[in-house]
Amino acid sequence: MTGAKRAQSDAPAPVTIRTALRPGDAAAVESLVRATGFFTPAEVAVARAVADEALAQGPGGGYAFVLADAADDADPLAGYACYGEIPAAEGRYDLYWIAVAPSHQRQGIGVRVLAEVEAHIARAGGRRIYIETSSQLIYAPTRAFYRAAGYLQEARLADFYRDGDDKLIFSKALS
Ligand SMILES: CC(C)(COP(=O)(O)OP(=O)(O)OC[C@H]1O[C@@H](n2cnc3c(N)ncnc32)[C@H](O)[C@@H]1OP(=O)(O)O)[C@@H](O)C(=O)NCCC(=O)NCCS
């Protein structure tokens, strides 16, 4: 399990939320995603490539980001999410990536980033968000995080990623 349980009285970690990508973000996203220890080298490369592509395309491409910068930190990107509208569906969005740096986990940053994603999607007229994740034991905290945020497991695709590693699909309807 990553991170220590946050005391109820602790204030959320101070972070600055932004949605515009900056030139150094692709490298920062790559090292953040790698540092979690949750992703294969191929997945780390995809996270980097998506950020590179989004930087090259600018606003209006298929990927949108929410980034959380920590104050007073040599390595400021504390967390981020990447999402996009599902083509040919009506107001349906995929959350492609969400990650919080290990040193910043369990401080309310993930929930803050996800709430920001949901707010942007709702403002854009989105009605439902989908998230895919793995059934592996190391993702139990991730599943707890999604459930705590109001996401329900809708489907399980057996052995999707590899034998014994199912794909779980969560979703949440935005009100
Ligand atoms: C999943 C992740 C983004 C959560 O970010 P976070 O900033 O640590 O989460 P938060 O502090 O906002 O937690 C919000 C709530 O989620 C649940 N939760 C989060 N981490 C948890 C854990 N390790 N165990 C149990 N519940 C957890 C709790 O209900 C928590 O509220 P609480 O701290 O008041 O009990 C982060 O753990 C992460 O980057 N994991 C590795 C990468 C990953 O799995 N990404 C998703 C790929 S599909």
Side-chain angles (χ1 to χ4, degrees):
M1 184 179 292
T2 50
K5 175 75 179 76
R6 176 162 44 109
Q8 291 295 322
S9 56
D10 282 358
V15 288
T16 306
I17 299 287
R18 63 187 163 92
T19 56
L21 282 173
R22 297 175 187 150
D25 283 336
V29 160
E30 180 182 354
S31 48
L32 191 164
V33 166
R34 182 180 291 120
T36 66
F38 273 64
F39 301 102
T40 63
E43 289 168 330
V44 172
V46 171
R48 167 74 193 246
V50 165
D52 276 328
E53 192 180 322
L55 269 164
Q57 288 178 340
Y63 299 111
F65 284 75
V66 170
L67 305 112
D69 294 317
D72 305 326
D73 201 322
D75 212 7
L77 189 65
Y80 93 108
C82 171
Y83 65 97
E85 190 170 9
I86 302 172
E90 278 182 25
R92 270 57 181 164
Y93 284 70
D94 272 326
L95 184 79
Y96 299 121
W97 297 89
I98 185 164
V100 172
S103 57
H104 291 284
Q105 286 179 7
R106 216 64 200 272
Q107 297 168 30
I109 295 173
V111 82
R112 176 114 190 257
V113 166
L114 187 52
E116 202 70 24
V117 167
E118 292 172 2
H120 281 277
I121 290 174
R123 281 201 292 275
R127 302 292 307 280
R128 197 173 264 278
I129 303 179
Y130 292 88
I131 306 177
E132 297 175 0
T133 193
S134 153
S135 65
Q136 285 190 316
L137 194 58
I138 64 154
Y139 281 95
T142 304
R143 296 191 293 273
F145 169 75
Y146 293 142
R147 289 196 174 98
Y151 287 77
L152 298 176
Q153 187 183 314
E154 299 246 25
R156 172 187 290 264
L157 306 186
D159 299 326
F160 181 90
Y161 295 109
R162 55 194 66 78
D163 287 352
D165 186 359
D166 306 343
K167 179 197 275 195
L168 307 179
I169 303 174
F170 286 77
S171 90
K172 180 176 179 177
L174 301 177
S175 47

